[in-house]
Amino acid sequence: MGKSLSYKILESHYGGGRITWGAEIPLAVDQVLTTDTLGIISFLYFESMNIPRIRTKLAVCYVDHNTMQMGPESANDHLFLKTFASKFGLYFSKPGNGICHQLHLERFGIPGETLIGTDSHTPTAGGLGMLGVGVGGLDVTAVMAGSPFYLTVPEIMLVKLNGRLPQWTSAKDVALEVLRRLDVRGGFGRILEYDGPGVGSLSVPERGTIANLGTETGATSSLFPSDSLTRDYLHAQGRGEAWRELKADPGVPYDEVMEIDLNEIEPLVAKPHSPGNVVPVKELEGLKIDQVIIGSCTNSSLRDLTTVAHILKSREIHPGVSVAISPGSRLGLHHLSKTGLLSEIIKSGVRILEPVCGPCVGLGQAPPSGGISLRTFNRNFKGRSGTPDAHVYLVSPETAAASALTGELTDPRNLTVSPTISEPDYTVEADDMILPPSEHPERVTIIRGSNIQPIGTFGSMEDGFEIKVLLKLGDDVTTDLIVPAGSKALPLRSNIPALSEYIFEAVDPTFARRAQKEKGGVIVAGENYGQGSSREHAALCPRYLGVRVILAKSFARIHMNNLINFGILPLTIVEQEEYEKLDRGDVLIFQEVRKALEKGDVLKVENFTKGRRFFAAFNFTRRQRKILLEGGLINFARGVHA
Ligand code: F3S
């Protein structure tokens, strides 16, 4: 029987025979990607393992998130990351060099290989035919220490693309169409594998955009074949030798199939405050806007910026709108400069930002109070822009540029300019902002600023606890809501006691104080708890504050792993009635916790306040249960690597 491309890659990285859906398999990892925000935690734990050099074939540390440098903290973090990378064997991409996923696609991705990254949009590498999976920093620590990555085998959904995109639509509209159909939970437990005759009309950066946004469906990864366009892209990057052809076998049966006729795609927009809230642009045409931002790891490729430049050429942006562009990479910016397109963008009145995450992670360009912002990004969660009452709409670069000219949400098909935009030349000239690891690690001293605080250790799982419900929340709680980004909190990522004071700040500013007073507790939530960014501080900081259990109706994949890795019990509330009966302040008693974990059984919970008893379910693998019993992945891994 034929095999899907996803299966082929999984099989070639797993030595254990037939792969079955739902099983947890150890997967060999070829490449690792870290960002500055989660890299620090990962590296601090790695240091504590006393392993002299990373054991992964290739690892890269990108500084792209926390680059504002309003005080010494961020620069101190950068120095720590740089010296750690040099000493322990990672490449280091300097601040300002570009956004991790864009750079990884350009400089390191290899078709058919596996990549894990401390960022939820690591599947962007799927645009090259590389299997990328977003994970928490501790998973990366374990892999750098020589462990495989443990993956729960997803279902494979074929997304069959037919036809060709009409003028003025682009990959972002395809990705939004996928989100319109699957919403933010429809990709759970799946790899979205793209194939069909329409794939050949999409360039690698366009495929990267679609793979990037697949994360918002909750999918484990997204994957495209590696074909002649992939070859040409790699060749232009000076990496032609990395190419090989990869595709699914003909007639392979998939777990599910979704067909998209590209001819039918129209400009789409995701309304506030969810990437899954998708409607056609024409439904909202005329909506007055305050701001347009083009960039982020979703839409900042040279292809996107070239398109925008052609639309803005010899025109001026609307006087009532602030427009900014953050390129995905410095090389892309350099290309724009060489071709004169950067001048066209500047002349039109656009503000040029550094090639970093910037506004996407709430660093700069916060909209005005109650403002309407159009962004080519992947997330429009409430407050993520830095303005709590702003309304963020997600659109394609074409729609963003058209709207920048008119001052209102505009269907780019209304533009009178000609859409004759040729594929840009991606040829690379210089790579001087990526530093290789030192060949003399013994001579490298790690530089550690005073803001880099030791994380400390946590004890093993107790057999029972009596704790209060500290907070009760609804569905789709994002990691942004748990631990904010932005200019106040981001520089504290290496200082857990300080960052912990911001936990749940947007919903309850008293949370951190109450949690410490109560010496920990339980958080109750609805479906999809921990949606969004992979930031493991959303598990680490609650653990630091003493949170022992999250009781939710369901969990987002990466966050559930992060909770387990930090020794917090993610338990599922099976009955809606029990969720409804739980209230903040209720005292819950958990007994024989260790026994339940050892046996893989359900856990009995007593709501002492309400005089009720109920069962909380879990579906942990044997390995995850051991991690929880040890009190987290580091305790577990120290045992394994001792
Ligand atoms: Fe950065 Fe935003 Fe992507 S924070 S990695 S540009 S989702």
Side-chain angles (χ1 to χ4, degrees):
M1 192 167 63
K3 293 171 183 169
S4 66
L5 177 53
S6 309
Y7 192 95
K8 287 182 190 183
I9 297 179
L10 291 177
E11 191 178 46
S12 63
H13 289 79
Y14 169 61
R18 191 169 161 69
I19 296 169
T20 48
W21 174 78
E24 188 185 62
I25 58 166
L27 207 63
V29 174
D30 298 306
Q31 298 189 0
V32 161
L33 167 167
T34 72
T35 65
D36 47 301
T37 42
L38 289 188
I40 291 197
I41 300 297
S42 181
F43 294 176
L44 286 170
Y45 277 122
F46 186 87
E47 268 189 308
S48 75
M49 295 174 89
N50 294 322
I51 296 171
R53 201 84 164 159
I54 62 160
R55 294 168 177 163
T56 326
K57 213 160 65 176
L58 181 130
V60 191
C61 170
Y62 295 95
V63 179
D64 55 357
H65 283 62
N66 185 19
T67 55
M68 195 71 108
Q69 297 174 232
M70 302 292 284
E73 295 86 356
S74 304
N76 288 345
D77 285 356
H78 301 166
L79 276 175
F80 170 76
L81 293 165
K82 182 173 153 186
T83 49
F84 177 95
S86 182
K87 190 174 187 71
F88 286 98
L90 293 87
Y91 284 83
F92 179 75
S93 176
K94 292 168 76 177
N97 191 35
I99 305 174
C100 57
H101 305 305
Q102 190 59 43
L103 286 171
H104 210 84
L105 210 57
E106 292 176 1
R107 308 306 306 130
F108 294 105
I110 295 181
E113 292 208 341
T114 53
L115 167 74
I116 62 163
T118 60
D119 190 276
S120 55
H121 295 102
T122 302
T124 311
L128 270 178
M130 179 177 212
L131 186 69
V133 180
V135 300
L138 286 194
D139 290 311
V140 159
T141 307
V143 167
M144 290 196 308
S147 289
F149 169 61
Y150 289 87
L151 176 81
T152 302
V153 178
E155 284 185 342
I156 317 293
M157 176 190 245
L158 170 66
V159 185
K160 188 172 180 194
L161 302 181
N162 299 311
R164 200 179 179 88
L165 281 171
Q167 285 180 346
W168 297 118
T169 59
S170 65
K172 180 61 160 287
D173 299 305
V174 180
L176 289 172
E177 173 63 18
V178 173
L179 265 161
R180 192 181 67 79
R181 297 189 192 190
L182 295 180
D183 209 337
V184 294
R185 299 179 210 157
F188 276 7
R190 289 172 168 165
I191 294 176
L192 308 182
E193 182 171 315
Y194 289 81
D195 210 338
V199 166
S201 65
L202 298 169
S203 64
V204 167
E206 288 176 290
R207 296 174 190 181
T209 293
I210 296 170
N212 176 287
L213 220 63
T215 294
E216 305 314 318
T217 68
T220 303
S221 193
S222 296
L223 193 62
F224 278 84
S226 168
D227 57 13
S228 59
L229 290 178
T230 321
R231 181 195 59 211
D232 296 347
Y233 178 82
L234 286 169
H235 185 72
Q237 298 290 336
R239 303 197 295 120
E241 77 292 343
W243 182 74
R244 64 178 165 126
E245 188 176 26
L246 287 170
K247 58 184 175 186
D249 294 330
V252 55
Y254 284 88
D255 297 307
E256 279 199 71
V257 178
M258 177 165 77
E259 291 211 35
I260 296 179
D261 183 354
L262 296 180
N263 299 303
E264 300 290 318
I265 293 287
E266 60 179 317
L268 296 171
V269 50
K271 297 192 291 180
H273 297 285
S274 167
N277 202 4
V278 177
V279 297
V281 167
K282 65 175 185 253
E283 259 186 38
L284 298 177
E285 256 197 310
L287 177 76
K288 294 278 178 250
I289 56 175
D290 299 288
Q291 183 186 62
V292 174
I293 306 186
I294 294 154
S296 88
C297 56
T298 311
N299 276 127
S300 59
S301 67
L302 186 55
R303 180 261 164 218
D304 292 332
L305 301 185
T306 305
T307 304
V308 168
H310 278 285
I311 295 172
L312 299 182
K313 195 171 177 177
S314 306
R315 290 175 181 78
E316 284 182 13
I317 59 166
H318 190 276
V321 185
S322 171
V323 184
I325 285 182
S326 55
S329 71
R330 200 177 60 100
L331 291 172
L333 183 60
H334 181 51
H335 274 280
L336 282 182
S337 164
K338 266 194 332 185
T339 51
L341 289 172
L342 184 60
S343 292
E344 296 293 344
I345 294 175
I346 292 170
K347 275 191 288 178
S348 71
V350 170
R351 301 163 72 175
I352 309 295
L353 309 178
E354 259 203 306
V356 292
C357 300
C360 181
V361 72
L363 280 189
Q365 304 292 317
S369 299
I372 306 248
S373 178
L374 289 197
R375 299 180 168 208
T376 64
F377 301 176
N378 46 38
R379 290 187 175 140
N380 56 350
F381 303 146
K382 195 170 171 52
R384 184 174 163 103
S385 67
T387 302
D389 59 354
H391 291 76
V392 175
Y393 292 74
L394 307 176
V395 294
S396 70
E398 289 81 354
T399 301
S403 306
L405 293 173
T406 61
E408 55 189 43
L409 185 58
T410 300
D411 189 323
R413 293 173 297 185
N414 297 339
L415 286 172
T416 51
V417 288
S418 159
T420 49
I421 297 159
S422 55
E423 265 302 292
D425 173 12
Y426 297 104
T427 308
V428 166
E429 284 176 0
D431 223 357
D432 52 359
M433 281 181 79
I434 294 184
L435 309 178
S438 172
E439 288 174 10
H440 301 285
E442 71 286 354
R443 296 183 198 161
V444 180
T445 304
I446 305 246
I447 301 174
R448 214 177 300 268
S450 59
N451 52 299
I452 299 176
Q453 294 292 319
I455 298 167
T457 51
F458 301 115
S460 57
M461 181 66 70
E462 305 92 323
D463 197 35
F465 20 84
E466 185 175 320
I467 40 183
K468 270 189 189 167
V469 175
L470 294 168
L471 202 57
K472 184 173 179 185
L473 301 155
D475 293 344
D476 299 321
V477 170
T478 65
T479 48
D480 275 270
L481 196 79
I482 303 170
V483 58
S487 56
K488 272 195 301 181
L490 263 182
L492 303 175
R493 289 290 176 96
S494 49
N495 186 341
I496 302 309
L499 183 62
S500 295
E501 290 175 22
Y502 289 89
I503 294 301
F504 287 116
E505 190 197 31
V507 277
D508 180 358
T510 68
F511 178 83
R513 191 169 33 81
R514 288 193 297 108
Q516 279 174 314
K517 186 169 162 233
E518 297 291 345
K519 298 199 174 9
V522 187
I523 293 162
V524 175
E527 305 279 2
N528 198 20
Y529 180 79
Q531 176 201 357
S533 166
S534 59
R535 67 187 67 154
E536 65 190 340
H537 296 81
L540 171 56
C541 293
R543 179 73 178 93
Y544 173 81
L545 292 173
V547 172
R548 306 300 294 115
V549 179
I550 311 286
L551 272 170
K553 291 189 211 168
S554 66
F555 294 86
R557 176 187 64 86
I558 301 176
H559 190 59
M560 176 151 139
N561 279 338
N562 284 340
L563 291 170
I564 292 169
N565 287 347
F566 284 102
I568 295 180
L569 269 170
L571 299 176
T572 308
I573 306 173
V574 185
E575 291 174 45
Q576 172 69 16
E577 190 189 356
E578 294 306 335
Y579 170 79
E580 280 162 13
K581 295 276 186 218
L582 284 163
D583 286 304
R584 178 172 146 178
D586 285 359
V587 174
L588 305 187
I589 300 172
F590 298 80
Q591 284 178 325
E592 300 189 328
V593 174
R594 294 190 65 86
K595 197 166 142 195
L597 284 173
E598 276 154 12
K599 284 174 63 185
D601 215 349
V602 291
L603 244 166
K604 285 182 219 127
V605 186
E606 182 182 347
N607 185 337
F608 181 76
T609 308
K610 302 271 169 60
R612 296 178 70 88
R613 285 192 170 81
F614 63 96
F615 290 107
F618 57 83
N619 190 20
F620 309 137
T621 64
R622 179 187 288 266
R623 188 187 65 92
Q624 288 173 323
R625 286 190 274 126
K626 282 187 183 163
I627 291 172
L628 281 164
L629 283 165
E630 293 287 339
L633 182 60
I634 289 302
N635 295 354
F636 176 75
R638 280 200 184 109
V640 172
H641 294 284

